Amino acid sequence: RTVAFVSALGGVGCTTLVAHSAALLAERGHPVVALELSAQNTLGLYLGMREQPPTGWHSAVQAGGWLGDAAVENADGVRLLAHGPCAAPLPLAAPWLAQQLQALEVPDPTVVLLDTPPLPAPLAQQALACADVVLVVLDAAWVSTRCCWVVSRISKHAPLPLASFKA
């Protein structure tokens, strides 16, 4: 199962929700992988690392390597694929993310949590296409009401029909 945490705004808590969800799943004995797609490179800090990872999947892919080479595990058993620092974004055209997730070959009960950059970032859009579950995170402030158009667009990119989806 792949769960994407998406938002049209930064700073609404996606990374916090991914970190807490990953820790809770691991605590309950579920294998979990947290994949940070945001260049902010902060998910590792939320998962207990003392400093931001000096490398991550971005530099591994930039050097011609594989995303999975950057995997680390925290004390709770959460496997993290940190974004790592980047000088320039990579041109990762769809279906790049789907191919990388397939190549990870995680065992069947593993939950993969995707911490995405704000929409309409290309990696956030790719996450929508390969997620089994999409959690749209909105801030309680009035400005989130301006993001309803993004939520409506998410329903159009969902891999399965969302009969009960409401924007």
Side-chain angles (χ1 to χ4, degrees), residues 91-130:
L92 305 172
W96 178 85
L97 182 57
Q99 293 167 344
Q100 295 298 311
L101 292 173
Q102 183 91 22
L104 282 176
E105 296 180 356
V106 293
D108 199 14
T110 303
V111 178
V112 178
L113 303 177
L114 304 176
D115 180 22
T116 68
L119 286 163
L123 281 176
Q125 291 180 31
Q126 287 189 47
L128 290 175
C130 43

Side-chain angles (χ1 to χ4, degrees), residues 57 60-61 65-72 80-81 100 103-104:
W57 67 260
V61 170
W66 176 57
L67 173 137
D69 291 337
V72 296
L80 169 66
L81 286 162
Q100 295 298 311
L104 282 176

Side-chain angles (χ1 to χ4, degrees), residues 21-152:
S21 298
L24 286 170
L25 285 165
E27 180 181 293
R28 292 188 168 107
H30 299 284
V32 62
V33 173
L35 173 53
E36 181 177 33
L37 299 173
S38 173
Q40 287 186 326
N41 197 32
T42 57
L43 183 57
L45 297 173
Y46 283 75
L47 289 171
M49 297 178 85
R50 294 188 185 274
E51 54 190 43
Q52 289 181 321
T55 62
W57 67 260
H58 187 275
S59 56
V61 170
Q62 195 169 37
W66 176 57
L67 173 137
D69 291 337
V72 296
E73 191 168 310
N74 76 358
D76 297 327
V78 175
R79 285 172 282 166
L80 169 66
L81 286 162
H83 186 283
C86 69
L90 295 170
L92 305 172
W96 178 85
L97 182 57
Q99 293 167 344
Q100 295 298 311
L101 292 173
Q102 183 91 22
L104 282 176
E105 296 180 356
V106 293
D108 199 14
T110 303
V111 178
V112 178
L113 303 177
L114 304 176
D115 180 22
T116 68
L119 286 163
L123 281 176
Q125 291 180 31
Q126 287 189 47
L128 290 175
C130 43
D132 299 307
V133 175
V134 175
L135 295 175
V136 180
V137 182
L138 297 174
D139 189 290
W142 69 271
V143 73
S144 287
T145 60
R146 293 180 163 206
C147 298
C148 287
W149 65 271
V150 174
V151 176
S152 295

